[in-house]
Every structure is written in structure tokens, then in C-alpha cells.
């Protein structure tokens, strides 16, 4: 018996010990630690020290007898393979199944099985098909996971159909932020359960059943099956799929998941469009959320202001419905509208969206040319973080449009009427706009300009260039008329006399010519018939309008010279009187600031028309300051409480200031000039009603603006 066949694991050993094991099943034991084992029914035994297995036993043994002396010892023991036990003692084994679940890779409902013999576990985690154990429960698990949740690798037509309907309804829930539109998973489960004649626990038998059924619509659901509540068409229109901005249409995504980074509305912005987008429109979100946002902003106001807008829900609804849709900062619009509508003054600086929930702030997702998200933020500043981005899409589309659209060396209106913008669209990108306009460009010859039709990426840049281009086109088409205008300007002795004070003769005459032509011909005309109509009306009147403008300039020049000479004469005469001299010095500086050398380029026709009155006011003030400095001093003190605010207002303007604030500061400047007339030279008469109350109102408005 020393052959290899009898070695442990050899065929004779296995055959002999399996035969012995069938008679000694109750003598099996499982190792607990070195020589200690757990036997049947939980008995704790030890291998007899005289045994050949003592210190060398495997994990499983069988013993011919258990002898109890100082403790329970196993005698006549041998190593066994636990895999021998289940086939020999199948009818004595206890089988327990637990954790039934769906396994996607296997495509079947499975459970974990445990096999025990006399309390000893032979198999701990065997995977078995649960359909054979409990067909009913396995069928429920199959429906919930495979059909309802779609956790299968094999795709079925009815599931794609049902999934599409569910996604449509889920989109409605995300948009409206309601969870009562799509049927619950339990409702969908009951639908499938009612349709299936028997429980299925694996994909193979289910696919075979569908093939034999031969009815592709058998398990297809309808909106009636899936939709629990209706969504009003008007309400749905408040949550658009795209957001239309000046730069084009951009896709919107909705998610109703409070606490998630994507909760609310996400605007998908191609990298190429990010620097061009104005963030002001994004503050309005979408119409369906705007009212809620306004209510949240009102609630965040200090109590002293909040109580003036009660009830908040009513006021928020009215503001959302009636507030103008302008490309201005939201806080500026809110303050202006509330001031006019409810006579409540709320400084723009008091508004804050810091404490608003995330879904009331637009999430901006910057995407590359492949649609992959580069960066996402609810801070509008993210739009300005990619100023030099030039992805292939925009450059290629824009360049293609330029090649098709642009025209060079234009000498007459022989091109099509111009639209306000041209859409540049691609299937995988939102619509991007290009703005057409005429452009004056340097020509091949020195001192000669050419006119071209160009595309611009900015609407404002296009309009500015186009107005100048229209003016240039009039110059090209009616050279004799404009040549006569130039001759009138150059031959005017008064303008020649003024020129040395205002940048010299050639430059000043060119500025006057440019101001006249820009006033009457620098228009945003985009149709040929409109251009021809404007020419028929304005070209015959050019001589008359030109003469009137020249007279206006020369009248200003006479008043300027008169004021300049008077201040200079009085300054020499009263140089010893410090108070008077200081007043005259201030008036001289005011004159230089009011009428700078390049005033024809800076001021519009309407502003220049009023300059002679303002200069005359300075002249009268100079004479009265010399005659009665004490009286004028009192008036100056009255005026200075407004004039000294002007430098601070001008310094408060920055690149972040709203155009409305800049415009209001400029209007305040000219209103202050009218106030000076009413205060120092009322005989000149003001062109608008002005008072300290009106000036105070302007200052309050400006102080509340960003």
C-alpha cells in the first residue's frame, strides 16, 4: 500500500475514503484552529495527540470515533475533501436560499444558496437560478429590474418605445419641477405584470416567448398608461427648449434634483460664443421660473424695503409680467420698474441673489466643439474667461459665410438689401449670428478709402460701421453736392478764424464736414428703396442744412471768442483781487471743458446747437463775478452742491457700469448746465424745466444704479 495511487488525492485514496465517509457522515468536522475542530451539531473536538494527523490535519476530517476524556477527542481520523460530502449526503443536507436579485450580465434572476450538513456549512455562496426555487418572486424581480428599470443588455423594440415616452414625461417633470406627471415604477410594474401570462426569470425564455407571441405592440405603453396628470400647454410654453439671445439660439437642459450641481436650468454655450454673450439676459432664466426668482429677490431685501412690496407673491407676478425685457442688468431693471410702478425707491446695490436656491440661477455650461463640457458655473463671469477661444466650428462657419456674402470695392447700391443678422447654423451647434454692414477701409492708393460689405460678430460693431459706411456711400454717389459743402466750409471766414483754437484749419474743417454729413447721412439704412428715398429728401436740402450748421458753428465761435476775451480782460483787471481772480479762473476752465478742441467729433448736432447758450452763460457769469463777487459767490455755493458731485459720478463709471448709468450721468451734466443758466443768467432761458428737486432726483437715481 505504498504506491502513489494511495497517496492523498490519489484514486485509491479517494475511492477508499469516500467509501468510509458514507458510513461515518456523523464524524465529519471542520477546522477551527490548528488541532481544534467543530464537529456535527456544534461539538468542539480535538484530534487525538497520538493520531498521525495531529498537527498536520487539513480543513476537513472524518473520525471513526469521538472519545471524551479530559475533552472530546477525535480518533482514527483522516483528511477528506468537502466536495465529497454533498453527493454522498444529499438527502441529509439543508439547502437555504437568500438574496434573490437580478444579474444583468447573466440575464437572469439568481439567488445565493447555502448548503449545510449537521450544522456544518459545506457551500456558502453558490449562485443558482431563482426561478426554479420561487417562480413568482423571481418573476416580480425580473419585471422590476429587467423591464421597468431596463437593466438588460439585449434591447427590445417595446422597451425603446416605452423609454422614449418616459423620457418625454420626465422632461416635463424636470421643466415644471413637479413629480406627479410620470407614472410611478409600481404602476409600470403592474402594467407589465398584467400583460405577461406567466412569470419569467431570465432573458432567454422571455425573448423566446416574445418571438412566439409575434406581436411587436404587445407590451408597448401609451401616454395614457404613463401620464398621471396633464400639463397645460401655456405652462409648458414657459419652459422653452432653447434660449434666444442676440448671438443666436442656445440649447437649454432642465433637471429637477435639489442639491445636485445640475439642478435647475443649464444653458449650453459653445466655447466660440462665450465671449460674445451678454449675461444680462441670463438673469431672467426662463419665464416659468422668473416670477419665483423675483419673489426670492424681494424676500432677500432688508425688511425696511421688503415690507413696501407686500404681498410678495402678487408683486412678483406683476413685475414678471410687466417689467420691460431689455438687455440691462436685472437689478437695474427691477429698481427702475419698481420706482415707476410702485413709487418705491430701492437702491440697486441692495439686491442680492447670493441666498437664492441654485435652480433660480442659470447654470452656464461651456462646451468644446465636440460638445464636451469644459467648465460650468452659475457665475456669469465664466463667459468672459475664454476671450481668445477660436474653435474650428465658428471660424469655419463664419469664414464660409464671409466668402459667400462679403463684397469689396462698392461704388453704388448694387448689393441685396441687408438683414439685421444672418444665422450661421450647424446641426450639432446652436444658431450663431453674423451681422452684416458696410465698412470703410483703407484703399490701395494713398489717401483713398474703399467701401466693402462685411460680416461682423458683434451687432453694435456692425451698426456703428454700417452708419459710417452709409455716409461714405452718399459721398461716393453725390460727389458734387458734398464738394460744394466742403467749399462752403472752407470759404467761411468765421470758421477760418475759429480754426486755430480748435486743432487747426484743416482738421477743424474736416471735423465740421464729418459732423454735418454724419448728422444727416450716417443712418442705419438697410434697404435700397429707403436709401434712395433718403437721398431724394436730404440731398436737395444739403446746401440749406449745411449753411444752417455752419452758421450754428460760427455763432458758437463768436460767443466763444467773446467769452474768452472778456474773461482774459477781466482777469488782468482783477488779478489783485484773489476771490474774483479765482472765480474767473474757474470760469476759464469751464469754458475749455465745455467746448474742447474736438467738440464737433464729441458732440451730436443737438448738443452743439445748445453750446452758444451755455457759453453765453459763462460770459455773463464772468462779468457779474467782476461786478459783484459776493453775490456771485453765494450763487456758486448754491450751484457747487451739485457741480462738485460730478467728478465723483464720472469716476464711478467703469467697464462694469450699465449703459443706463452712463447715459444718466451725461444727462445730469447737461441738466446742470441748464441749471447754471437758471441760476446765473435766467434771461437766456432754459430749454427744459430744471430745479434743485429735479437734480436731486437725478442724483438719487444715479446713486441707486450699478
Amino acid at each position: 500500500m505504498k504506491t502513489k495511487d494511495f497517496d492523498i488525492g490519489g484514486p485509491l485514496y479517494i475511492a477508499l475514503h469516500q467509501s468510509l465517509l458514507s458510513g461515518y457522515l456523523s464524524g465529519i468536522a471542520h477546522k477551527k484552529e490548528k488541532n481544534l475542530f467543530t464537529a456535527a451539531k456544534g461539538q468542539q473536538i480535538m484530534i487525538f495527540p497520538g493520531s498521525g494527523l495531529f498537527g498536520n490535519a487539513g480543513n476537513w476530517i472524518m473520525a471513526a470515533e469521538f472519545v471524551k476524556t479530559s475533552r472530546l477527542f477525535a480518533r482514527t481520523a483522516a483528511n477528506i475533501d468537502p466536495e465529497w460530502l454533498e453527493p454522498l449526503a444529499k438527502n441529509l443536507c439543508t439547502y437555504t436560499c437568500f438574496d434573490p436579485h437580478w444579474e444583468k450580465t447573466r440575464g437572469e434572476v439568481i439567488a445565493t444558496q447555502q448548503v449545510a450538513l449537521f450544522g456544518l456549512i459545506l457551500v456558502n455562496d453558490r449562485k443558482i437560478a431563482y426561478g426554479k426555487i420561487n417562480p413568482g418572486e423571481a418573476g416580480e424581480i425580473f419585471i422590476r429590474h429587467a423591464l421597468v428599470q431596463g437593466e438588460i443588455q439585449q434591447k427590445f423594440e417595446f422597451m425603446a418605445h416605452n423609454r422614449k415616452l418616459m423620457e418625454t414625461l420626465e422632461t416635463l417633470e424636470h421643466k415644471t419641477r413637479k413629480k406627479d406627471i410620470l407614472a410611478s415604477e409600481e404602476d409600470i410594474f403592474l402594467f407589465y405584470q398584467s400583460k405577461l401570462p406567466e412569470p419569467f426569470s431570465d432573458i432567454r425564455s422571455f425573448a423566446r416567448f416574445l418571438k412566439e407571441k409575434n406581436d411587436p405592440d404587445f407590451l408597448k405603453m401609451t401616454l395614457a398608461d404613463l401620464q398621471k396628470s396633464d400639463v397645460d400647454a401655456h405652462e409648458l410654453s414657459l419652459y422653452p427648449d432653447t434660449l434666444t439671445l442676440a448671438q443666436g439660439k442656445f440649447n437649454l437642459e432642465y433637471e429637477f434634483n435639489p442639491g445636485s450641481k445640475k439642478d435647475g436650468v443649464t444653458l449650453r454655450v459653445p466655447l466660440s460664443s462665450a465671449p460674445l454673450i451678454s449675461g444680462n439676459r441670463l438673469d431672467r432664466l426662463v419665464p416659468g421660473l422668473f416670477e419665483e426668482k423675483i419673489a426670492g429677490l424681494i424676500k432677500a431685501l432688508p425688511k425696511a424695503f421688503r415690507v413696501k412690496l407686500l404681498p410678495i407673491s402678487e408683486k412678483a407676478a406683476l413685475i414678471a409680467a410687466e417689467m420691460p425685457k431689455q438687455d440691462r442688468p436685472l437689478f437695474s431693471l427691477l429698481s427702475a420698474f419698481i420706482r415707476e410702478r410702485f413709487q418705491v425707491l430701492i437702491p440697486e446695490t441692495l439686491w442680492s441673489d447670493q441666498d437664492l436656491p441654485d435652480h433660480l440661477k442659470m447654470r452656464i455650461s461651456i462646451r468644446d466643439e465636440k460638445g464636451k463640457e469644459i467648465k460650468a458655473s452659475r457665475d456669469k463671469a465664466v463667459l468672459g474667461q475664454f476671450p481668445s477661444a477660436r474653435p474650428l466650428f465658428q471660424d469655419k462657419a463664419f469664414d464660409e459665410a464671409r466668402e459667400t456674402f462679403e463684397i469689396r470695392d462698392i461704388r453704388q447700391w448694387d448689393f441685396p438689401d441687408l438683414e439685421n443678422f444672418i444665422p450661421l447654423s450647424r446641426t450639432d451647434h446652436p444658431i450663431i449670428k453674423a451681422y452684416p454692414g458696410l465698412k470703410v477701409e483703407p484703399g490701395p492708393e494713398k489717401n483713398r478709402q474703399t467701401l466693402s460689405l462685411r460680416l461682423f460678430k458683434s451687432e453694435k460693431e456692425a451698426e456703428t460701421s454700417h452708419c459710417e459706411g452709409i455716409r461714405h456711400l452718399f459721398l461716393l454717389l453725390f460727389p458734387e453736392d458734398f464738394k460744394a459743402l466742403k467749399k462752403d466750409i472752407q470759404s467761411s471766414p468765421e470758421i477760418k478764424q475759429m480754426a486755430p483754437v480748435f486743432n487747426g484749419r484743416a482738421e477743424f474743417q474736416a471735423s465740421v464736414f464729418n459732423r454735418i454729413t454724419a448728422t444727416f447721412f450716417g443712418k442705419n439704412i438697410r434697404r435700397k428703396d429707403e436709401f434712395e428715398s433718403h437721398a431724394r429728401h436730404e440731398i436737395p436740402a444739403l446746401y440749406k442744412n449745411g449753411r444752417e450748421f455752419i452758421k450754428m458753428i460760427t455763432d458758437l465761435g463768436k460767443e466763444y471768442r467773446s467769452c474768452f476775451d472778456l474773461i482774459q480782460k477781466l482777469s488782468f483787471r482783477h488779478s489783485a483781487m484773489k476771490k474774483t481772480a479765482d472765480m474767473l479762473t474757474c470760469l476759464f476752465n469751464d469754458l475749455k471743458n465745455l467746448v474742447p478742441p474736438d467738440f464737433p467729433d464729441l458732440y451730436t448736432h443737438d448738443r452743439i446747437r445748445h453750446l452758444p447758450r451755455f457759453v453765453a452763460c459763462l460770459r455773463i457769469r464772468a462779468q457779474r463775478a467782476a461786478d459783484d463777487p459776493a453775490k456771485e459767490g453765494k450763487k456758486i455755493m448754491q450751484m457747487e452742491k451739485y457741480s462738485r458731485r460730478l467728478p465723483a459720478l464720472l469716476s464711478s463709471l467703469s467697464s462694469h457700469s450699465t449703459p443706463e448709468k452712463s447715459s444718466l450721468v451725461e444727462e445730469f451734466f447737461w441738466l446742470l448746465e441748464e441749471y447754471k443758466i437758471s441760476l446765473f443768467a435766467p434771461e437766456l432761458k432754459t430749454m427744459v424745466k430744471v430745479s434743485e428737486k429735479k437734480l436731486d432726483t437725478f442724483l438719487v437715481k444715479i446713486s441707486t444704479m450699478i
Side-chain angles (χ1 to χ4, degrees):
M1 301 295 287
K2 295 293 185 181
T3 66
K4 290 183 179 180
D5 290 344
F6 195 72
D7 288 346
I8 294 177
L12 291 178
Y13 182 93
I14 293 173
L16 177 60
H17 284 77
Q18 283 181 340
S19 298
L20 293 171
L21 181 59
S22 63
Y24 290 105
L25 288 172
S26 61
I28 63 173
H30 182 236
K31 182 182 280 187
K32 184 177 180 182
E33 53 184 276
K34 192 171 183 181
N35 289 306
L36 298 178
F37 286 75
T38 300
K41 300 180 181 179
Q43 298 180 93
Q44 302 299 309
I45 66 169
M46 183 177 184
I47 295 179
F48 188 68
S51 171
L53 291 183
F54 189 79
N56 298 306
N59 286 331
W60 286 85
I61 65 169
M62 68 173 176
E65 61 178 350
F66 295 137
V67 178
K68 186 172 184 180
T69 54
S70 59
R71 63 181 308 160
L72 193 60
F73 290 100
R75 295 166 59 97
T76 317
N79 288 323
I80 61 171
D81 188 337
E83 292 185 0
W84 300 343
L85 293 169
E86 188 178 359
L88 292 172
K90 195 172 187 68
N91 60 327
L92 298 176
C93 289
T94 302
Y95 293 88
T96 306
C97 291
F98 58 91
D99 187 28
H101 63 278
W102 171 255
E103 192 165 286
K104 180 179 179 179
T105 305
R106 186 165 165 174
E108 188 175 12
V109 179
I110 64 171
T112 302
Q113 187 182 62
Q114 188 181 80
V115 183
L117 178 62
F118 304 136
L120 297 175
I121 297 175
L122 306 181
V123 181
N124 193 40
D125 56 355
R126 176 184 292 163
K127 304 298 181 184
I128 63 168
Y130 193 57
K132 298 177 181 179
I133 308 298
N134 190 336
E137 186 180 357
E140 289 187 12
I141 294 173
F142 174 82
I143 293 174
R144 293 186 188 280
H145 290 270
L147 303 187
V148 176
Q149 296 182 15
E151 298 175 6
I152 57 173
Q153 293 181 331
Q154 183 176 349
K155 301 302 179 184
F156 296 101
E157 182 185 348
F158 78 89
M159 291 187 67
H161 168 82
N162 295 347
R163 184 68 251 167
K164 188 174 181 180
L165 289 181
M166 290 179 203
E167 288 174 354
T168 300
L169 296 176
E170 284 174 349
T171 299
L172 295 183
E173 289 188 332
H174 286 305
K175 284 184 175 182
T176 59
R177 301 187 70 79
K178 298 176 182 177
K179 285 295 185 184
D180 60 351
I181 299 174
L182 177 63
S184 66
E185 288 191 355
E186 186 65 25
D187 294 329
I188 300 171
F189 164 79
L190 293 174
F191 169 84
Y192 285 126
Q193 189 180 52
S194 67
K195 293 285 186 178
L196 297 177
E198 59 183 272
F200 295 91
S201 60
D202 64 88
I203 288 296
R204 295 179 300 280
S205 59
F206 179 70
R208 187 166 54 251
F209 162 76
L210 291 180
K211 186 176 180 180
E212 294 172 355
K213 182 74 174 175
N214 195 26
D215 183 0
D217 299 333
F218 170 56
L219 293 176
K220 287 184 178 179
M221 306 180 80
T222 64
L223 278 177
D225 296 319
L226 287 169
Q227 190 166 354
K228 291 172 62 178
S229 60
D230 294 328
V231 179
D232 178 71
H234 172 68
E235 181 183 5
L236 187 58
S237 69
L238 301 178
Y239 302 91
D241 294 322
T242 59
L243 185 65
T244 302
L245 303 175
Q247 298 74 22
K249 289 185 178 180
F250 297 85
N251 293 329
L252 294 174
E253 294 177 351
Y254 296 83
E255 183 170 317
F256 179 25
N257 187 9
S260 165
K261 290 182 178 179
K262 295 184 178 181
D263 185 40
V265 190
T266 295
L267 178 73
R268 294 170 61 105
V269 179
L271 184 62
S272 59
S273 300
L276 304 176
I277 289 180
S278 167
N280 294 334
R281 174 62 183 84
L282 307 188
D283 286 331
R284 300 183 75 99
L285 293 170
V286 294
L289 294 174
F290 190 45
E291 181 180 329
E292 183 184 352
K293 179 170 185 173
I294 292 174
L297 290 172
I298 294 175
K299 291 175 183 177
L301 287 171
K303 184 178 180 180
F305 295 91
R306 186 173 65 246
V307 295
K308 298 177 181 179
L309 295 173
L310 296 175
I312 291 176
S313 59
E314 182 181 308
K315 293 293 192 297
L318 192 148
I319 293 170
E322 298 184 9
M323 191 169 70
K325 297 178 181 179
Q326 301 173 356
D327 186 15
R328 293 169 51 190
L330 176 60
F331 298 161
S332 175
L333 282 171
L334 282 171
S335 289
F337 180 80
I338 291 172
R339 182 174 60 246
E340 294 176 10
R341 186 69 170 77
F342 306 115
Q343 289 73 53
V344 175
L345 181 63
I346 299 178
E348 294 176 21
T349 52
L350 289 184
W351 296 103
S352 173
D353 61 1
Q354 184 175 356
D355 296 328
L356 289 182
D358 281 348
H359 75 275
L360 296 180
K361 291 179 276 189
M362 182 73 81
R363 180 176 178 269
I364 304 166
S365 174
I366 308 297
R367 306 291 178 123
D368 63 16
E369 63 272 16
K370 295 182 179 179
K372 183 180 178 182
E373 185 173 274
I374 300 173
K375 189 169 185 178
S377 175
R378 298 184 193 271
D379 184 353
K380 294 178 293 184
V382 72
L383 294 169
Q385 293 179 7
F386 306 94
S388 59
R390 292 176 57 84
L392 179 63
F393 159 69
Q394 190 196 19
D395 285 348
K396 188 174 181 181
F398 193 77
D399 289 344
E400 288 175 356
R402 288 187 62 185
E403 290 179 8
T404 305
F405 183 85
E406 291 188 346
I407 303 173
R408 294 171 177 79
D409 199 18
I410 293 174
R411 297 176 182 273
Q412 59 184 339
W413 195 302
D414 53 1
F415 49 89
D417 290 348
L418 303 181
E419 300 292 338
N420 290 324
F421 67 88
I422 297 174
L424 310 178
S425 60
R426 292 285 181 90
T427 55
D428 56 343
H429 284 269
I431 296 174
I432 305 299
K433 296 178 180 178
Y435 301 92
L438 295 174
K439 184 178 183 181
V440 180
E441 299 175 323
E445 301 175 13
K446 190 177 181 181
N447 298 326
R448 181 180 178 272
Q449 295 177 316
T450 62
L451 187 63
S452 302
L453 181 58
R454 299 292 189 189
L455 289 181
F456 298 83
K457 296 180 180 180
S458 163
E459 182 178 15
K460 185 175 181 181
E461 182 186 1
E463 184 176 341
T464 302
S465 176
H466 184 67
C467 290
E468 175 60 19
I470 288 291
R471 183 185 80 91
H472 191 79
L473 185 57
F474 275 110
L475 297 181
L476 289 175
L477 294 178
F478 303 95
E480 295 303 319
D481 298 273
F482 290 103
K483 185 178 179 181
L485 174 63
K486 278 186 178 180
K487 186 176 180 181
D488 287 343
I489 294 172
Q490 292 169 355
S491 63
S492 170
E494 292 86 354
I495 287 182
K496 289 179 182 178
Q497 291 175 3
M498 291 175 64
V501 182
F502 300 105
N503 290 332
R505 180 183 295 185
E507 191 168 338
F508 183 61
Q509 289 175 344
S511 293
V512 172
F513 177 80
N514 290 337
R515 172 49 54 204
I516 295 173
T517 53
T519 298
F520 297 104
F521 299 96
K523 307 295 183 182
N524 188 18
I525 298 173
R526 311 190 77 82
R527 299 197 318 272
K528 184 177 181 180
D529 61 343
E530 186 182 353
F531 180 86
E532 292 172 345
S533 174
H534 193 77
R536 287 193 298 271
H537 182 268
E538 292 295 339
I539 292 298
L542 178 59
Y543 175 77
K544 172 176 169 292
N545 291 334
R547 297 300 299 176
E548 288 178 355
F549 193 90
I550 291 170
K551 184 178 184 306
M552 183 172 66
I553 292 290
T554 56
D555 287 347
L556 172 62
K558 291 175 183 177
E559 190 60 62
Y560 185 94
R561 173 54 62 185
S562 175
C563 181
F564 184 93
D565 291 345
L566 179 63
I567 293 175
Q568 194 172 51
K569 182 179 71 173
L570 293 174
S571 295
F572 283 122
R573 184 182 301 172
H574 299 281
S575 58
M577 302 173 63
K578 186 177 185 308
K579 186 175 181 180
T580 303
D582 289 345
M583 287 184 187
L584 293 171
T585 300
C586 288
L587 290 172
F588 181 76
N589 291 332
D590 287 347
L591 177 64
K592 289 290 186 181
N593 292 331
L594 183 63
V595 191
D598 57 347
F599 77 90
D601 301 319
L602 290 178
Y603 299 149
T604 64
H605 175 278
D606 192 55
R607 294 297 186 199
I608 295 173
R609 184 164 59 88
H610 293 290
L611 284 179
R613 283 191 310 112
F614 300 144
V615 174
C617 179
L618 290 173
R619 175 177 52 76
I620 293 172
R621 287 178 61 189
Q623 185 62 59
R624 289 175 179 172
D627 294 343
D628 192 346
K631 183 178 180 181
E632 288 302 299
K634 291 179 181 179
K635 292 181 179 180
I636 290 173
M637 290 178 62
Q638 189 176 345
M639 179 266 296
E640 278 185 341
K641 68 178 180 179
Y642 298 106
S643 62
R644 65 168 170 256
R645 297 284 297 275
L646 193 58
L649 293 178
L650 293 172
S651 63
S652 71
L653 297 176
S654 67
S655 59
H656 302 293
S657 298
T658 61
E660 292 73 28
K661 182 175 181 179
S662 301
S663 177
L664 208 59
V665 170
E666 181 184 357
E667 194 174 344
F668 177 78
F669 172 85
W670 294 111
L671 190 65
L672 186 57
E673 293 300 318
E674 296 285 358
Y675 177 68
K676 291 174 184 177
I677 289 177
S678 70
L679 188 64
F680 295 101
E683 63 270 26
L684 296 177
K685 300 190 182 302
T686 62
M687 290 294 102
V688 294
K689 291 183 178 180
V690 61
S691 64
E692 291 190 359
K693 183 179 179 181
K694 190 170 184 177
L695 291 170
D696 290 335
T697 302
F698 262 77
L699 289 173
V700 170
K701 281 185 181 180
I702 295 171
S703 68
T704 62
M705 299 180 80
I706 297 174

